Structure formats: structure tokens, C-alpha cells
Amino acid sequence: MNRTTIKLDESLDARMRHEAARRGMTISEWTREAIAAHLPGEEESGTATRRRFRSTGAGASGRSDIAERMEEILAGLGEDRGTSVADEATPQPRHAA
């Protein structure tokens, strides 16, 4: 391994040390992982770490038939509120004030 020196302001250094300690890692381990997560080309080394958005899967319904049933599902949405999707699409007349 090569040794590299970087300069950090005190706030960033403190945050880095806190995060490494929280994860039970050395500063060097944490730094290597953080740098690797931001560089392309990890596939060749066999240690690929892929970044994921925190929101990934947030809207997962657990169902696999949503695309096939889209029309049926959308048609049923208005029933819960006593109105249909077609009713909502119809502009309501404005009354003079």
C-alpha cells in the first residue's frame, strides 16, 4: 500500500474520526472505503462497493403485478374518496364572487 497525506480542516477531521470510531474502523480503513465509494472502476479489483441512494426501495409495495394491474388499481383510487378519477379530471364551474 502507498501512503498519502491529506489536509483536512478540524471540523471534517473530527467528523471523520467520529464516524470511523462509530463503525469500529481505523481512520485508514474508513478513508480507503470512503475514497473507493466515490471512484469508478472498482469492478476489476473484486472489492466493489456500490453507492446506493437512501431512498432506494422506499416505495416498494412488495407486489410484482402492479404494472399489469395499473388500470384496475387506478380505477379503484377514487372509490375510497367517493369520487372517480374521471370526476377529478372534469373541471368544476367557477362561481362569481
Side-chain angles (χ1 to χ4, degrees):
M1 279 197 202
N2 294 330
R3 180 179 298 256
T4 301
T5 303
I6 61 170
K7 294 181 180 184
L8 303 173
D9 63 42
E10 291 177 15
S11 173
L12 185 57
D13 182 66
R15 290 171 44 209
M16 176 186 66
R17 290 178 185 281
H18 175 76
E19 184 62 17
R22 187 184 72 80
R23 293 183 182 200
M25 303 170 81
T26 66
I27 298 295
S28 294
E29 290 170 330
W30 184 88
T31 304
R32 282 190 294 271
E33 184 179 291
I35 292 170
H38 287 85
L39 293 175
E42 287 290 309
E43 298 80 17
E44 295 117 26
S45 69
T47 60
T49 55
R50 189 170 177 187
R51 293 179 65 195
R52 294 186 181 173
F53 291 107
R54 290 184 181 138
S55 61
T56 300
S61 67
R63 301 194 57 154
S64 61
D65 64 343
I66 300 296
E68 292 86 19
R69 296 184 53 230
M70 183 178 67
E71 294 297 325
E72 175 188 344
I73 293 167
L74 290 175
L77 284 179
E79 294 172 9
D80 295 339
R81 296 182 292 161
T83 182
S84 71
V85 175
D87 291 340
E88 290 181 2
T90 306
Q92 299 298 319
R94 295 181 184 222
H95 297 287

